[in-house]
Amino acid sequence: QSALTQPASVSGSPGQSITISCTGTSSDVGGYNYVSWYQQHPGKAPKLMIYEVSNRPSGVPDRFSGSKSGNTASLTISGLQAEDEADYYCSSYTSSSTPWVFGGGTKLTVL
Amino acid sequence: EVQLVESGGGLVQPGGSLRLSCAASGFTFSSYWMSWVRQAPGKGLEWVANIKQDGSEKYYVDSVKGRFTISRDNAKNSLYLQMNSLRAEDTAVYYCWVSSSPSFDYWGQGTLVTVSS
């Protein structure tokens, strides 16, 4: 039950775009379109930002977008804003002995 | 409004036990799989366990199998996690989590479990 692989940190200036990758295997990310992305501010619960690879829940700005190619999913944030500074986690359904797996998390710094 | 409120966390010695509770409201609790997810201090999210709507199926991450038991009481709209033989590495904030396709996804505020002598 290995965690999905994410970069530990990414950074960008206000107005720029950044992309966070999430690499798994054919048993999770590559095998299902059940990849989600969560935003977590310090001391807060995670918040769903993207579901089923590329869909945004109501209320999430369209600056947030998701995609997938093979075993790697990606979250792109365009027009970075200071409030986007947070930790981001991907998750995926998996055919392993446990149904869900999370990524290790990526700390986004807005310079 | 969907609400998930965890309770039961605290300081416990290694080898001890603790029972976490999650009170759900604002949705039809008995219609959803429910999960526990934990986050060790400064670390990432780790899915711990989940339980089917009627309690007939339960799944656990390998590291807690045989020590933790997930259960629910649909009459009380409540989810539980019985944690036995606790270890230092179980120290974490434990979140109650409900997620269902397509975008029904809610988390509690979390309850801190600290395992230390």
Side-chain angles (χ1 to χ4, degrees), chain A residues 8-110:
Chain A
S9 63
V10 298
S11 62
S13 299
Q16 289 186 331
S17 294
I18 63 94
T19 297
I20 300 172
S21 62
C22 169
T23 301
T25 69
S26 58
S27 296
D28 38 65
V29 174
Y32 305 93
N33 286 326
Y34 290 113
V35 176
S36 299
W37 288 92
Y38 294 88
Q39 177 191 66
Q40 187 181 35
H41 287 109
K44 301 295 187 180
K47 175 188 175 184
L48 181 67
M49 305 302 284
I50 296 288
Y51 67 95
E52 292 176 2
V53 176
S54 59
N55 297 289
R56 279 186 313 277
S58 173
V60 173
D62 60 6
R63 303 184 294 102
F64 291 82
S65 62
S67 62
K68 189 182 81 166
S69 177
N71 296 336
T72 298
S74 298
L75 171 71
T76 298
I77 309 173
S78 58
L80 270 178
Q81 299 182 3
E83 68 215 47
D84 299 333
E85 185 163 293
D87 293 326
Y88 290 84
Y89 295 91
C90 60
S91 76
S92 174
Y93 179 79
T94 170
S95 61
S96 73
S97 57
T98 56
W100 297 102
V101 62
F102 286 93
T106 298
K107 181 177 181 59
L108 168 61
T109 300
V110 180

Side-chain angles (χ1 to χ4, degrees), chain A residues 1 38 40 45 51-52 89 98, chain B residues 39 60 62 97 101-102 105 108:
Chain A
Q1 296 147 340
Y38 294 88
Q40 187 181 35
Y51 67 95
E52 292 176 2
Y89 295 91
T98 56
Chain B
Q39 186 170 33
Y60 301 91
D62 282 350
W97 176 44
S101 183
D105 192 287

Side-chain angles (χ1 to χ4, degrees), chain B residues 29-40:
Chain B
F29 179 76
S30 60
S31 296
Y32 295 88
W33 283 80
M34 295 295 299
S35 292
W36 288 98
V37 175
R38 68 184 178 183
Q39 186 170 33

Side-chain angles (χ1 to χ4, degrees), chain B:
Chain B
E1 178 193 7
V2 172
Q3 282 198 322
L4 297 170
V5 180
E6 301 96 337
S7 61
L11 175 63
V12 61
Q13 292 188 337
S17 298
L18 216 51
R19 188 195 196 207
L20 306 183
S21 299
C22 170
S25 61
F27 66 105
T28 306
F29 179 76
S30 60
S31 296
Y32 295 88
W33 283 80
M34 295 295 299
S35 292
W36 288 98
V37 175
R38 68 184 178 183
Q39 186 170 33
K43 301 297 184 181
L45 301 170
E46 180 183 38
W47 179 88
V48 173
N50 71 349
I51 183 169
K52 194 176 180 179
Q53 290 89 331
D54 62 358
S56 62
E57 293 182 37
K58 305 174 184 181
Y59 299 92
Y60 301 91
V61 69
D62 282 350
S63 58
V64 309
K65 284 180 181 176
R67 300 188 300 122
F68 289 12
T69 302
I70 189 172
S71 63
R72 64 191 297 161
D73 185 335
N74 288 339
K76 295 183 177 180
N77 289 340
S78 292
L79 176 72
Y80 306 101
L81 186 67
Q82 177 66 44
M83 304 185 296
N84 298 331
S85 303
L86 282 162
R87 306 167 180 168
E89 53 264 36
D90 296 318
T91 294
V93 173
Y94 285 73
Y95 292 101
C96 177
W97 176 44
V98 60
S99 180
S100 179
S101 183
S103 63
F104 186 83
D105 192 287
Y106 294 91
W107 298 68
Q109 85 288 350
T111 187
L112 176 62
V113 173
T114 303
V115 184
S116 175
S117 55

